[in-house]
Amino acid sequence: MFDYRLKVFHTVATRLSFTKASEELHISQPAVTKHIKEIETQIGAKLFDRKGTSIQLTQSGKILFEHAEKIRNIYRDMEFEISQISQQHKGKLIIGASTTVAQYILPEILAKFNSYYKDIKIELLTGNTETITTLLKEEKIDLGIIEGESQSSYFEYKTFKPDEIVLAAKSDHPLAHKTLNLKDLYQQDLIFREQGSGTLEFIQNRLKEKEINIHELNTVMQLGSSESIKNYLLHSECMAFLSISTILNELKNNILTVIDIKNFSIERDFHFILPKGDQSELIKLFLRFAE
């Protein structure tokens, strides 16, 4: 029901590409251009500026995009609420999740959700906690699920599920099955997640509470995913702090092991992150299901 020309504009503005918009909408590129020109004629303003081979929104385009987002959301909520009358659940939900949650926790939940609500389409965007927070602020996702500790007054946070971060190494590591003291970390080669990672933020804060400065540790490398870190550990003597959720299979198959640290543990919660205010019925439905 979302006005088709506005949908074309919204797609071009989101992808910043006429070509990608035409592919996504399954119409020709000239047709996309025609719809954009018709809107520009109607409102009397240019919507896009060309910068070489790329395009950018003009100031007028940014204003239209902001309102197009709101109109799209209003239509989506309206259609969902009307479908509730006949117990039909329809609509689209765009979820942003930090990498640990997206890779190891959400797939099972999404599969079960889809089995109950086949007419609700879900799009999942993945990034670190910093990226997901930015996407939500820019209204490019409906809700986020993050692993970071920092919280902003701009958003509402709800606890999703508990997690634990452990020190992991390959199963035949020389220190496997031994207990370390925190100070022993200064003698170890360590791998950490990249800057902006919620996991890294959490580890840094917990170590700081125990007067361990993460910047003084021997960080061999920073990698952008738990999968990369796990594979690195298998081919080195390094250790890494990882969410227990990411290494369950490796522990079960005796590929990786957990190195115990005396009188130290890192426990945390994953959180839903939402815009403040009333949430759409579609978001409420997903929150109820996931919880």
Side-chain angles (χ1 to χ4, degrees):
M1 199 168 173
F2 188 38
D3 179 86
Y4 190 72
R5 285 190 303 179
L6 212 50
K7 181 179 180 180
V8 172
F9 164 74
H10 185 274
T11 306
V12 175
T14 301
R15 306 301 179 198
L16 288 178
S17 169
F18 282 77
T19 303
K20 290 180 180 178
S22 69
E23 292 171 353
E24 184 171 326
L25 296 168
H26 303 292
I27 60 176
S28 69
Q29 193 167 328
V32 172
T33 303
K34 177 176 177 289
H35 286 300
I36 297 300
K37 285 184 177 179
E38 286 174 352
I39 298 175
E40 289 178 331
T41 299
Q42 184 176 354
I43 66 175
K46 192 178 180 182
L47 299 174
F48 297 97
D49 280 329
R50 289 199 173 274
K51 302 286 184 180
T53 57
S54 63
I55 60 171
Q56 292 181 345
L57 284 165
T58 63
Q59 192 60 38
S60 297
K62 290 177 181 177
I63 293 171
L64 180 60
F65 181 72
E66 180 181 339
H67 289 284
E69 277 281 286
K70 293 177 182 177
I71 294 169
R72 186 191 65 153
N73 292 338
I74 290 170
Y75 271 123
R76 183 195 59 193
D77 291 347
M78 177 188 68
E79 290 169 357
F80 182 79
E81 289 171 19
I82 291 174
S83 72
Q84 291 282 77
I85 297 172
S86 59
Q87 299 302 307
Q88 293 180 336
H89 298 281
K90 295 182 179 180
K92 182 177 181 181
L93 192 60
I94 304 177
I95 301 172
S98 53
T99 48
T100 300
V101 178
Q103 285 184 303
Y104 303 99
I105 297 171
L106 267 186
E108 181 181 356
I109 294 172
L110 294 180
K112 290 180 179 178
F113 185 84
N114 180 251
S115 70
Y116 281 98
Y117 307 108
K118 294 186 182 299
D119 291 327
I120 297 177
K121 305 301 180 186
I122 290 186
E123 182 179 344
L124 177 63
L125 304 181
T126 305
N128 60 32
T129 294
E130 185 177 18
T131 299
I132 297 306
T133 302
T134 300
L135 288 173
L136 187 64
K137 192 169 185 178
E138 294 175 352
E139 299 182 352
K140 292 180 179 177
I141 57 175
D142 298 305
L143 76 155
I145 307 175
I146 60 171
E147 55 204 72
E149 187 169 30
S150 296
Q151 296 195 358
S152 165
S153 59
Y154 192 85
F155 303 114
E156 180 181 349
Y157 296 82
K158 295 179 181 289
T159 301
F160 173 35
K161 72 186 301 291
D163 183 48
E164 182 181 4
I165 297 172
V166 297
L167 184 63
K170 63 182 180 180
S171 57
D172 60 350
H173 192 282
L175 295 178
H177 313 299
K178 295 189 177 182
T179 299
L180 302 183
N181 292 309
L182 264 175
K183 297 292 185 183
D184 293 333
L185 291 176
Y186 287 107
Q187 279 72 55
Q188 306 307 317
D189 291 335
L190 297 165
I191 307 294
F192 287 106
R193 284 286 304 274
E194 80 289 356
Q195 293 298 320
S197 161
T199 297
L200 177 63
E201 177 193 28
F202 221 95
I203 295 164
Q204 183 171 335
N205 290 344
R206 295 293 82 81
L207 289 174
K208 186 177 180 181
E209 290 173 0
K210 295 293 185 177
E211 299 182 345
I212 300 292
N213 187 341
I214 196 171
H215 301 295
E216 295 177 0
L217 298 176
N218 184 27
T219 301
V220 174
M221 194 171 297
Q222 289 183 269
L223 298 173
S225 72
S226 296
E227 285 298 310
S228 298
I229 292 176
K230 288 192 296 183
N231 287 321
Y232 192 103
L233 293 183
L234 296 179
H235 302 284
S236 76
E237 300 295 328
C238 291
M239 299 179 180
F241 284 100
L242 290 166
S243 164
I244 193 73
S245 305
T246 70
I247 59 171
L248 293 177
N249 286 332
E250 286 78 10
L251 294 176
K252 180 180 178 181
N253 295 312
N254 198 34
I255 297 171
L256 294 177
T257 188
V258 172
I259 307 293
D260 187 45
I261 302 177
K262 188 177 180 179
N263 299 324
F264 183 72
S265 63
I266 303 178
E267 297 174 353
R268 65 173 178 178
D269 290 318
F270 294 124
H271 286 92
F272 291 111
I273 177 173
L274 305 150
K276 283 197 170 179
D278 291 336
Q279 307 302 330
S280 71
E281 291 302 316
L282 194 56
I283 290 176
K284 290 177 184 176
L285 176 67
F286 183 82
L287 291 177
R288 288 196 300 269
F289 186 90
E291 289 169 347

